[in-house]
């Protein structure tokens, strides 16, 4: 049996890939109902010169291709940072069943902060704080080097 924390470690590995590309270090993983990782992605906003290339959007697009389905019902998404409003909306539209995220984003987050996209008791389970320390440290170091 897979330890669920392994999924967050995979998301962190994706965030490290983003950091190595000088992208904001956010990574995401989608797991199907059998516990298999079906897609991984990281931020590519700078690389693709596209503000929509967030890890969550990219991983959902990959997972949809893999499954050849319109929705990701029964799938979980693991993300290193609390999703923004755009990504939370995409997660909602993809009908992902469970969201697990690491670090809270008090400025740009839209789950437990900001607009709280899922506050209308949508059909999604939300779990936060997974490896939050690792994600927060990576993000703080990244932004400190920019200043």
């Amino acid at each position: 049996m897979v330890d669920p924390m392994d999924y967050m470690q995979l998301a962190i590995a994706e965030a490290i890939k983003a950091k190595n590309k000088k992208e904001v270090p956010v990574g995401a993983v989608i797991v199907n109902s059998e516990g298999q990782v079906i897609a991984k992605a990281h931020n590519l906003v700078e690389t693709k010169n596209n503000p929509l290339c967030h890890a969550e959007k990219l991983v959902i697009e990959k997972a949809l291709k893999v499954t050849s389905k319109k929705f990701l019902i029964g799938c979980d998404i693991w993300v290193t940072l609390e999703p923004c409003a755009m990504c939370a909306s995409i997660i909602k539209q993809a009908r992902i069943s469970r969201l697990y995220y690491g670090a809270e984003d008090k400025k740009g987050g839209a789950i437990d902060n900001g607009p709280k996209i899922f506050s209308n008791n949508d059909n999604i389970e939300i779990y936060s704080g997974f490896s939050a320390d690792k994600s927060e440290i990576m993000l703080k170091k990244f932004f400190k080097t920019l200043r």
Side-chain angles (χ1 to χ4, degrees), residues 20-132:
N20 291 341
K21 294 176 182 175
K22 301 199 179 347
E23 296 278 354
V24 175
V26 177
V29 173
I30 293 187
V31 179
N32 68 15
S33 58
E34 288 84 43
Q36 300 165 317
V37 174
I38 59 170
K40 300 182 281 186
H42 54 274
N43 277 0
L44 289 174
V45 170
E46 302 302 325
T47 304
K48 294 195 178 246
N49 198 32
N50 183 337
L52 305 179
C53 289
H54 289 203
E56 299 93 327
K57 176 188 173 284
L58 298 173
V59 78
I60 287 170
E61 289 175 336
K62 286 182 179 182
L64 290 169
K65 271 189 185 164
V66 167
T67 62
S68 299
K69 293 185 178 175
K70 183 177 178 180
F71 300 111
L72 296 171
I73 297 166
C75 291
D76 301 344
I77 186 167
W78 291 76
V79 188
T80 57
L81 181 65
E82 177 181 0
C84 68
M86 176 185 74
C87 292
S89 295
I90 293 169
I91 290 167
K92 183 177 185 173
Q93 293 301 315
R95 297 188 187 165
I96 289 174
S97 298
R98 283 167 293 284
L99 163 65
Y100 299 84
Y101 72 86
E104 220 180 310
D105 185 351
K106 294 205 183 283
K107 277 175 59 178
I111 306 299
D112 290 318
N113 293 287
K116 299 181 182 176
I117 299 292
F118 299 112
S119 62
N120 292 337
N121 199 11
D122 292 289
N123 292 328
I124 185 168
E125 296 173 32
I126 300 166
Y127 305 94
S128 60
F130 290 88
S131 298

